[in-house]
Amino acid sequence: METLLLNENQLDVAAELIIKGEVVGIPTETVYGLGADASDENAVRKIFSAKGRPADNPLIVHLADFSEAVRYTSYIPELAHKLAEKFCPGALTMVLPKNDRIPLVTSGGLDTVGIRVPSHPVMHRIIELSGKPIAAPSANISGYPSPTSASHVMRDMNGRISAVVDGGQSEYGVESTVISFEDESTVRILRPGCVTEKMLMTVCGNVIVDKAVLSGLEKNEKASSPGMKYRHYSPKADIIMVESTLESFTDYVGRHYGDNVYSLIFDGDSDNFPYRHMTYGANSIQQAHQIFRKLRELDDLNAVRVYVRSPEPVGVGLAVYNRLIRAAGFEVVRL
Ligand code: TXA
Ligand code: MG
């Protein structure tokens, strides 16, 4: 299959492909998604096979407006409406009980569905033009860093899907915050993103950060979200997170240095850093924006091992930290 590269003036072509049951790479404000009609089992199966994704890992369903969530869910708590008022459209996915309009293939066999209303005008327009709920996981090969540009998607998906729409660089760079509902005033963060714990606290009485956000699951421990179980975001290089001051970090890298060993450090660190390195921003918003691109670039440089300066796991930094510990397979050095 030849994968078409479409521009922002060809959204009717993208919508037509979605209606026909094909898979299209679509830009969103978080990362690029691999979109297909969420109500069409065969179309959704194509997403799983293009990504090589395990069948029990559910897909997020993207809608043009939160008011449409009633069509695909059996119950919406009052708190979800309040959150939608504040954060939709945007980088928030709410896990709700699904109804029969969402096939089990889409929900990975679960009786719930993640609903998101993306703010990116291209994704929004394709949902409207197609008139379909769009199931879309991140548009990477399963396990690889999420794509934040059309060229990343092309790299992973060329020949596997019908088209990719080029909508420039993703604004946020990390995927949406995924939450579930515990009781009428409490939500649980299953995956942190740019809608932070503090932002959620402006609407919710209580916000729980799931244990798996900051650490690996123990053997036989049940995942609150299937995505927690799988190795994620990993480039070919071995990633090692280092939580320390710049001084101890520099010393540590010096003692573990060698051919094709890189460091991924903060912008401000690089002036006197004597070893091979790349930088990934000066604050957590920049780090979120750049992290997946930098992990892909390190592969292009044939890095074999990468020592990463750990972000503070607060605010948007929690999202960056969460992606990095997974990329590192939970290999964290604390100095
Ligand atoms: O920003 C995003 O969320 C991007 C863009 C394309 O919208 N999408 C995305 O999808 O990151 P994906 O499939 O790569 O990640 C979805 C995560 C997975 O970890 C999955 O297990 C979890 O959300 N998830 C989806 N539906 C769920 C459900 N019903 N219950 C629990 N977790 C769910
Ligand atoms: Mg993903």
Side-chain angles (χ1 to χ4, degrees):
M1 170 193 314
E2 197 199 336
T3 303
L4 293 173
L5 184 61
L6 303 173
N7 64 41
E8 295 182 30
N9 300 316
Q10 296 173 294
L11 304 186
D12 51 334
V13 179
E16 206 47 53
L17 287 166
I18 299 283
I19 292 167
K20 279 198 215 145
E22 296 303 328
V23 178
V24 179
I26 307 174
T28 86
E29 70 278 23
T30 57
V31 300
Y32 274 67
L34 217 51
D37 178 355
S39 61
D40 177 343
E41 292 188 12
N42 284 327
V44 169
R45 282 202 187 90
K46 291 181 191 172
I47 296 179
F48 281 90
S49 79
K51 270 183 78 82
R53 181 176 176 109
D56 69 350
N57 197 0
L59 305 183
I60 292 171
V61 173
H62 299 73
L63 304 175
D65 194 278
F66 192 74
S67 62
E68 283 166 29
V70 289
R71 283 181 57 77
Y72 305 102
T73 56
S74 59
Y75 171 69
I76 302 178
E78 192 44 44
L79 183 56
H81 287 292
K82 285 197 192 135
L83 286 163
E85 242 167 69
K86 188 126 185 193
F87 302 114
C88 293
L92 181 66
T93 297
M94 297 189 240
V95 173
L96 297 167
K98 75 169 197 73
N99 69 21
D100 290 346
R101 288 204 181 90
I102 299 297
L104 286 166
V105 181
T106 305
S107 70
L110 298 177
D111 55 10
T112 55
V113 60
I115 298 284
R116 176 159 113 80
V117 180
S119 66
H120 197 291
V122 168
M123 178 56 137
H124 186 85
R125 191 74 191 129
I126 293 173
I127 300 169
E128 281 194 330
L129 287 172
S130 66
K132 303 289 186 189
I134 295 189
S138 51
N140 50 290
I141 296 281
S142 217
Y144 206 62
S146 296
T148 55
S149 72
S151 66
H152 293 166
V153 182
M154 265 299 183
R155 236 190 197 203
D156 284 17
M157 293 294 156
N158 196 2
R160 293 170 179 256
I161 60 174
S162 295
V164 178
V165 184
D166 191 348
Q169 293 250 342
S170 307
E171 182 189 347
Y172 296 142
V174 291
E175 307 87 340
S176 62
T177 304
V178 179
I179 58 166
S180 62
F181 294 85
E182 295 279 306
D183 61 41
E184 64 271 12
S185 62
T186 308
V187 298
R188 174 182 294 271
I189 297 180
L190 304 177
R191 181 180 70 183
C194 287
V195 174
T196 62
E197 180 182 0
K198 199 169 159 193
M199 288 159 76
L200 292 168
M201 273 305 284
T202 63
V203 178
C204 305
N206 191 14
V207 178
I208 299 167
V209 177
D210 198 277
K211 182 173 157 276
V213 163
L214 281 164
S215 62
L217 288 168
E218 305 290 330
K219 255 203 174 133
N220 301 325
E221 199 174 349
K222 191 178 178 316
S224 320
S225 174
M228 292 168 174
K229 291 187 301 197
Y230 297 106
R231 195 180 157 89
H232 256 140
Y233 317 118
S234 301
K236 284 176 242 132
D238 216 353
I239 305 289
I240 296 133
M241 280 275 269
V242 183
E243 295 184 13
S244 73
T245 60
L246 176 59
E247 205 180 356
S248 335
F249 181 91
T250 309
D251 181 58
Y252 186 83
V253 171
R255 284 185 282 117
H256 296 82
Y257 203 52
D259 288 347
N260 295 80
V261 171
Y262 282 79
S263 295
L264 188 57
I265 59 180
F266 308 143
D267 283 3
D269 296 343
S270 69
D271 285 354
N272 298 309
F273 191 75
Y275 306 112
R276 212 179 288 117
H277 64 275
M278 286 178 84
T279 59
Y280 76 120
N283 57 50
S284 47
I285 291 180
Q286 293 175 7
Q287 286 161 9
H289 182 70
Q290 295 180 33
I291 186 61
F292 288 135
R293 172 160 55 91
K294 297 293 171 141
L295 291 178
R296 283 173 178 260
E297 284 175 14
L298 284 158
D299 265 0
D300 293 341
L301 292 166
N302 293 316
V304 293
R305 201 160 69 237
V306 182
Y307 295 102
V308 184
R309 275 209 82 194
S310 171
E312 281 290 332
V314 291
V316 174
L318 181 63
V320 181
Y321 184 91
N322 169 269
R323 305 315 188 269
L324 278 168
I325 50 171
R326 280 166 173 73
F330 301 100
E331 194 173 346
V332 182
V333 176
R334 294 184 177 90
L335 301 173

